[in-house]
Amino acid sequence: MSGQPFRLEGRRGEVLPFRFDGRDYEGYRGDTLAAALLANGVRTVATSVTLGRPRGIFAAWTEEPNAVVQIEHPFPEPMLQATVVELYAGLVATGLPGRGRLAAEPDPARYDGVYAHCDVLVVGAGPAGLAAAAAAAGSGARVILADDRPSPGGSLPDTGETVDGVPGTAWAATALAELESHPETRVLTRTGVFGYYDDNYLVAVERRGENASSRERVWRIRARRVVLATGAHERSIAFAGNDLPGVMLAGSARAYANRYGVLPGRRAVVFTTGDSAYAAARDLAAAGVEIAAVVDTRTGATPGRDGSGGFSASGGMDGLSGLDGPGGPDGWGGLGEAEALTGHFVTHVNGEHGVTSVTVSQRPVAGGTPSGTVLSGGREIEADLLLVSGGWNPAVHLFSQAGGTLRYDEQLGSFVPWSTRQAVEVAGAARGLLTLATCLEDGAAAGARAAEAAGFPTPSTSGASAQRTGETPPDTETPQTGETPSSTETPQAGETSETTLAEHVWLVPADDYRTHFVDLQRDVTVADVMRATGAGLRSVEHVKRYTTAGTGHDQGKTSGVLTSGVVAHALGVDVSRLGTTTFRAPYLPVSFATLAGRDRGALHDPARVTALHEWHVAYGAPFENVGQWRRPWYYPREGEDMEAAVLRECRAVREAAGAMDASTLGKIDIQGPDAAELLDRLYTNMMSTLKVGSIRYGVMCRPDGMVFDDGTVIRLAEDRFLVTTTTGNAAAVLDWMEEWLQTEWPSLRVYCTSVTEQWATVALAGPRSREVLAGLAPELAVDKVSFPFMTWRDTRVAGLDARVCRISFSGELAYEINVSAWDGLALWEAVQATGAVTPYGTETMHVLRAEKGYPIVGQDTDGTVTPADLGMEWVVSKKKADFLGKRSFARADTARPDRKHLVGLLPLDPDVLLPEGSHLVAVDRLPEPPVPMLGHVTSSYRSAALGRTFALALVSGGRERVGERLYVPVGGELLPVTVTHHVLYDPEGARRDG
């Protein structure tokens, strides 16, 4: 029709206007955005993520690696597959230049979640899934059928097959209506199951549309039994230029013609390793596409005899039947004047922005393997469409997530389900069955077994017959869930009568593999894979990480097994020995908004504020988020920026007195007869010898000896302690204590209670702090003999009951004054009313502690740091028999001289502020990568006391490098620094006691 030049005549429906890349188009209701773009002749949809190459539509459903778009209206949403986006009036979209763009405004839509329980969950509403659901529902079991497409039937609308003489789409609609008539059955369309977890817990996302009460809904389903009828995905082949617009999977091209009435091109070449592509070619020829040639890698192949002619419930194959349509069993009828080129390869696709022609070469007559001999010469065939079919991969993703193991099927050339510990059945093409008849039979049997195992016996059920195949599998038993598969015969992958084996070709041999794409979404080529194996990688998992193959939004649906095949070729091993990469959730792309549901904004992660918060707001302090707490960052005066304000605050603490709101420090009350014993086991130093009235600094390590948290322990009584933690780790430390008490040391008589919110804490620091405290607490003897360092006193401060601790995190004379949270504001205002105290925020606190080399856990540590690495060997007791991490300190690894140590850095230019996180190198000129990194900058500040910038860093063998010149790469420049001891200010500690 006019305006949609590639739309088949006779296809009509509600016209839907839409806009793509700034141009207006029209499509029909029921189209996907991809189908509508193809109907309008749009070939290039996006550009690739790394190389910026033009990319077109490659597939027809969730396996699409190329056509990733940005929706602009009604709300910006990035990284959506055009093959899945359902067309609606007013849709505005753009092709992506590799990456998407998040919306600047809040999403107005609602997202919600539902919990559901059932006896049998069937995933996939293709022929096998519908048959399984019908068998289970007939038993009276509670059944949920979930499928990610808008309507049931799987591949049936794509193939035009019939079931018991009824057109496939009509049969599927009838089957759906029958299922919905069962009161205990729920059918979820547009609902993709993306995660399979322990104890048959599965998670799915339902796309509900813009006009629904919620745009998307998360279904969290617990099922007694599960049937996976997830179909299979067609596989590509790696050859030169196989990423150009106009290169498409054969089954997907067939789907566009039959399901949407859209021609993906005018003149096509078919490149196949098996028979299934012939059915696609026939349907396209019948729709009006000129089939120029069928290039079959098999020498002397007789197409149409293996019966593998179909596609799946989730965008791949599920019950494809035969090729015994027009023209007879040789599969060639209906292809017109198409040239049959058996024993040939497509060696190159020609064109700049899309396919204009393909180069075809004959494989050597003798010697060499299909992917082992470089082909030369060849002929050029004009075409704007190349249909590729390299075989079929069962969609085993969810089965693998369930803990299932796979086996390699030689005939199918792919991996199929084998055994699993979970209560799950796999049916149809998902376990390698390739005909409609076998899928129907297998699905019904799987559904009946699942219902019976859930406690709902069913009568013996035979599958419906497929008119175009008439084949049925042997009457044999399938290995049951959880059993080790036995030697009993089962319908094998691809099994039919008079089988013509497909050939398993992973790549077309060439001298240059830089445009042989393995993963289209990640721009991974055969050359990239060979570079990985050339670097010594032998595991397909390692190659995946080296190249990023299979890590895109499509989760390797078209590239996963192909990557394994190419790795096997590069290593000269059989692909069955390599296996596959690990299949992880989500199987389908899921937005963070959907996962968050209604837990968004302040209600999801509420801000915690101290009792002094309103005062900080009134005095103009910006806030820093630390965990859930909002802590005052600094207090700018008129005309001050952050740097000026922090320098002023630092000078006040070093030269006079300053006060900080320290109420957010974690506080845990530990009580019980065995409280001291618990703390001895948790901390690296001894706590049981601490006297009542005293305080001790301590470090907690995990069993691996790495620092977990630090803080102080205050002994209040023989059986009672108050433990302080870092602000961000307060909950984690309490959880850590409870975990050990409840699981490993239940005999200890100890109770742990968080009291963080019950106390307001004001840190008073600086050489005049003793003078200020004396004026506020006249009853308290504050001289250093009466009130020594690391002790505490109960007294009254500003007329308020208080506990004063002689603790310093700045290196200056300092106190921490604790009062009831109700009295916090009164205490703070009394301190400020003295006129001798400057308020300071968290940034100043960071500078002061860094000048003294005091580390912050989580900033100057990274989970690989021991106390010795921080220069704190003294905090690890040599007297205690045992504590968490003690055995790990005896390992040779924790004493390596090249471990990363905490050191100080002084930039050669005293005004240069090093970016935190920057790496350090030993060379003054960067060579070609990889460059050995010695460590990284953990903290970096401008110091008023030092009169310059400085930094802390974790550096390999750092203590042995003091005085050495290192370099920090920043913005293409190498900044020279000198390594120093990590204590840069008052290393003798003379200022601590005033």
Side-chain angles (χ1 to χ4, degrees), residues 29 60 139 166 198 220 286 299 377 404 455 476 570 617 645 655 657 659 876 911 988:
R29 184 165 301 282
S139 71
V166 178
D198 286 346
R220 297 175 175 89
T299 302
T476 53
V617 171
E655 298 171 5
V876 179
D911 200 45
E988 299 81 11

Side-chain angles (χ1 to χ4, degrees), residues 78 94 134 142 265 286 349 352-353 414 429 443 453 466 575 577 636 642 852 854 938 990:
T94 57
R142 291 178 301 166
V349 180
E352 184 175 353
H353 299 292
S414 192
V575 68
R577 290 177 51 193
M642 176 178 173
K852 288 291 294 180
Y854 298 155
T938 61

Side-chain angles (χ1 to χ4, degrees), residues 771-827:
E771 173 188 333
V772 172
L773 180 60
L776 292 170
E779 302 173 7
L780 178 66
V782 296
D783 62 278
K784 60 183 177 182
V785 175
S786 302
F787 197 176
F789 185 61
M790 297 301 275
T791 61
W792 62 271
R793 302 287 185 267
D794 281 344
T795 187
R796 291 181 67 80
V797 179
L800 306 169
D801 290 336
R803 176 175 295 144
V804 183
C805 300
R806 190 73 161 75
I807 299 172
S808 176
F809 196 49
S810 62
E812 298 292 336
L813 174 67
Y815 304 86
E816 290 184 2
I817 309 170
N818 301 274
V819 297
S820 165
W822 297 105
D823 295 332
L825 182 58
L827 172 65

Side-chain angles (χ1 to χ4, degrees), residues 583-599:
F583 297 98
R584 295 183 175 89
Y587 170 68
L588 303 171
V590 183
S591 73
F592 285 111
T594 302
L595 293 176
R598 301 185 187 183
D599 296 327

Side-chain angles (χ1 to χ4, degrees), residues 670-705:
I670 312 291
Q671 297 189 44
D674 298 319
E677 174 66 20
L678 171 66
L679 296 179
D680 274 352
R681 296 184 187 184
L682 292 175
Y683 284 93
T684 61
N685 49 338
M686 191 78 76
M687 294 301 173
S688 57
T689 58
L690 188 63
K691 291 181 170 52
V692 175
S694 295
I695 306 169
R696 186 166 291 163
Y697 172 79
V699 170
M700 288 184 184
C701 289
R702 294 193 181 276
D704 61 1

Side-chain angles (χ1 to χ4, degrees), residues 468-557:
R468 290 178 61 182
T469 62
E471 297 174 327
T472 56
D475 184 15
T476 53
E477 290 296 320
T478 302
Q480 298 298 303
T481 301
E483 294 180 358
T484 301
S486 66
S487 60
T488 58
E489 291 296 325
T490 63
Q492 297 299 306
E495 181 177 289
T496 62
S497 60
E498 299 184 279
T499 297
T500 299
L501 291 177
E503 189 169 49
H504 310 313
V505 176
W506 312 111
L507 72 156
V508 174
D511 290 319
D512 184 351
Y513 288 113
R514 287 179 297 176
T515 60
H516 286 55
F517 285 88
V518 177
D519 188 322
L520 297 169
Q521 208 284 325
R522 287 298 196 192
D523 270 346
V524 178
T525 65
V526 172
D528 295 324
V529 173
M530 290 185 169
R531 188 177 301 114
T533 57
L537 302 183
R538 294 295 180 266
S539 164
V540 69
E541 288 279 10
H542 293 162
V543 172
K544 171 183 177 178
R545 283 152 181 79
Y546 187 98
T547 63
T548 71
T551 64
H553 66 274
D554 60 330
Q555 286 294 287
K557 292 181 179 66

Side-chain angles (χ1 to χ4, degrees), residues 1 47 62 86 124 222 258 277 285 359 364 380 455 494 583 668 723 751 764 837 849 908 993:
M1 62 171 289
T47 53
T62 56
E86 295 180 49
R222 184 79 69 178
N258 290 339
T359 300
E380 189 173 340
F583 297 98
I668 304 173
V723 169
Y751 298 92
L764 180 64
V837 177
R849 64 88 197 170
L908 189 63
D993 292 325

